[in-house]
Amino acid sequence: MKVIKRDGRLQEFDLSRIRTSIDRASDDANQPLNESDIENLAKSIEKGLKNYQKDSIHSDIIQKFVLRELEKQGFKIVAEYYNQGKV
């Protein structure tokens, strides 16, 4: 799957980038998540994106998936920091 960046560039989807951005947002929020939490979030986000069934997806849509999953799993403050940083 390709990601359409904000500037229009195409980039290969990389789940590790989502893991890293969630980890950074949780650190910024002073609510560090453990590896298991981050992995569970990443897998849920990846599953949701695969269900999207598109060859390419805009980065803003990925951000919405991440925010929704963070909130769904009870990490509301981390979601707020993730959204502020748009990491």
Side-chain angles (χ1 to χ4, degrees):
M1 175 188 318
K2 298 283 185 182
V3 176
I4 304 166
K5 306 297 283 181
R6 287 185 179 95
D7 64 6
R9 289 179 297 126
L10 281 179
Q11 187 174 34
E12 197 62 42
F13 175 75
D14 182 359
L15 190 60
S16 69
R17 291 182 63 135
I18 290 175
R19 287 186 191 101
T20 300
S21 56
I22 290 171
D23 189 35
R24 287 181 183 158
S26 71
D27 288 346
D28 290 348
N30 263 347
Q31 296 192 351
L33 301 177
N34 61 44
E35 289 298 317
S36 177
D37 288 334
I38 293 171
E39 189 60 30
N40 288 337
L41 285 160
K43 285 184 179 184
S44 293
I45 292 162
E46 183 179 40
K47 182 179 177 183
L49 292 172
K50 283 183 179 177
N51 288 338
Y52 197 69
Q53 297 181 345
K54 299 279 184 179
D55 291 334
S56 59
I57 186 169
H58 202 280
S59 60
D60 289 342
I61 294 171
I62 294 173
Q63 180 183 355
K64 289 176 185 173
F65 271 95
V66 173
L67 288 170
R68 185 177 66 215
E69 197 59 38
L70 283 165
E71 290 175 357
K72 183 173 137 185
Q73 292 195 26
F75 303 113
K76 187 175 175 27
I77 294 171
V78 175
E80 291 171 9
Y81 276 81
Y82 178 87
N83 194 40
Q84 287 173 5
K86 292 185 174 67
V87 257

